[in-house]
Amino acid sequence: MPEAPDATAIQNPATGEVIERLELAGPAAVDAAVLAARKAQPDWGAATPGERAAVLNRVATLLQERAEDFAAVETRQCGKPIRLSREFDVPGTADNATFFAGAARVLEGKASGEYSAAHTSSIRREPLGVIGSIAPWNYPLNMAGWKVFPALAAGNAVVIKPAEITPLTTVMLARLFEEAGLPDGVLGVVVGTGPVAGEALVSHPEVDMVSFTGSTPVGKRVAELAARGPRRVHLELGGKAPFLVFDDADLEAAVHGAVAGALINGGQDCTAATRAYVQRPLYEQFVAGVADVLGTVRMGDPADPATDLGSLISARQAQRVHGFVSRALAAGARAVRGGSAPDGAFYSPTLLVGAAQDAEIVRDEVFGPVLVVLPFDSDEQGLALANDTRFGLAASAWTRDVFRAGRASRELAAGCVWINDHIPIVSEMPHGGIKASGYGKDMSAYALEEYTAVKHVMTENTGIARKDWHRTVFGAGGGSDV
């Protein structure tokens, strides 16, 4: 395992300003956090659901009270527009905390009963123990909440490693938990690199489950390391969401939905609308409409409430996005909007047409403000093109026809399918993918299932010493009558 660098500078990607310098955790720091979590977990796990819920509710209240501070820091470390931080990241995280405070008190299981005539069976849901969580840089606060809240609600202890370039709001969230009365050790934060702190966490023998959100290649590495435990793994990985527009769709709604779905968080979203398939009668109008709306998008200072599109996470990421676009143009695609070289970490919203289905820009995750549009003819072809991907995180279909909508909801191969919208999420509903997009669910009561173990308790209720089934072991005449 490589040695940890001593420190990292947290930068505002929009300006290059160094916001803060933090020491980076190495294996020793990870070990200390995990052992503290192991020591603290039994008492936390023995707390009543109501006691755990009270802490989560206090965190939600504190987060709402300090929403502006959290939003400002999230925007500074990520380069995302302040409107997104204020209206989605922070309130969405507070709502998630409130949801899991309630959900912790209503864990469900099969009813107790006599499923065998001589026994009463019941189901217990119990915490797994210590959870090692790794969160990404695109939604640092949101993703920390998605991982920490259900795990703590279920009675686990958590050690979370945020991305080393965006750790600040995760550290702030941990301090809220301290203030809310969470016992020492139950939640630990280690700020370090993936190859050092991340691998030490995933491989630690005292970690009972690993929860990772990030790219598919890194997710495979996480699964490989965790399997040596073996330990439970939850993976939310990459996506390449199709945006399927049938010829009876509301064109204005589809155009606006495509722009919003492609540009949210600068396109740095695993569920972003990245490839639109439009039935041929609407294709030209759709392309023209999207180009027009993209022309109104205001790119600039992320801290300015008037800004629609801030910077990407780094100049390096902007160059990576431009590499995808440049290769697509060289292969025969055409830029209707954008496509020019980045300005530092800023990249103009880009609309591409003319790419082939097997082109890199259509197949691989770009993670930037780029939408590629392709035509299709029959419904069957559109659905087949949408499903022609190794990913399966999210998809949307746009139609006024209830039968088309029903077919799309059944046949689109994704963990989430939106009809006549793209991107909205709610705490009550699960989020997670299939295929190369991973497995397991964030949010909703299904997330609590990820962080609990099902225990079957079977109680003999007759008091008879000699059971009929004993004959299969020592015969009808054997054994004692006592």
Side-chain angles (χ1 to χ4, degrees), residues 76-235:
R76 288 181 74 201
Q77 70 175 353
C78 296
K80 64 176 64 189
I82 189 66
R83 289 206 315 269
L84 183 64
S85 296
R86 284 173 176 163
E87 298 177 25
F88 174 74
D89 296 67
V90 178
T93 304
D95 182 72
N96 214 232
T98 302
F99 171 80
F100 281 109
R105 307 184 74 163
V106 289
L107 279 174
E108 296 180 354
K110 185 175 287 189
S112 297
E114 287 69 46
Y115 303 102
S116 157
H119 305 82
T120 297
S121 286
S122 63
I123 296 294
R124 293 176 59 87
R125 280 198 172 272
E126 298 183 342
L128 296 170
V130 176
I131 312 299
S133 294
I134 300 177
W137 50 256
N138 56 337
Y139 292 101
L141 177 63
N142 228 220
M143 297 295 101
W146 283 17
K147 295 187 178 303
V148 167
F149 299 153
L152 294 182
N156 300 285
V158 180
V159 177
I160 184 168
K161 190 199 87 65
E164 69 273 17
I165 57 175
T166 57
L168 300 181
T169 48
T170 303
V171 173
M172 291 168 67
L173 181 64
R175 289 174 180 153
L176 291 193
F177 269 103
E178 261 182 67
E179 193 173 336
L182 186 72
D184 290 347
V186 176
L187 174 61
V189 180
V190 290
V191 179
T193 65
V196 177
E199 295 211 358
L201 182 60
V202 171
S203 305
H204 200 289
E206 293 294 333
V207 167
D208 299 293
M209 173 185 168
V210 173
S211 177
F212 170 81
T213 297
S215 71
T216 297
V218 178
K220 291 179 179 179
R221 174 64 175 166
V222 167
E224 174 192 337
L225 292 172
R228 297 175 186 174
R231 55 185 61 85
R232 191 183 294 194
V233 182
H234 164 226
L235 300 175

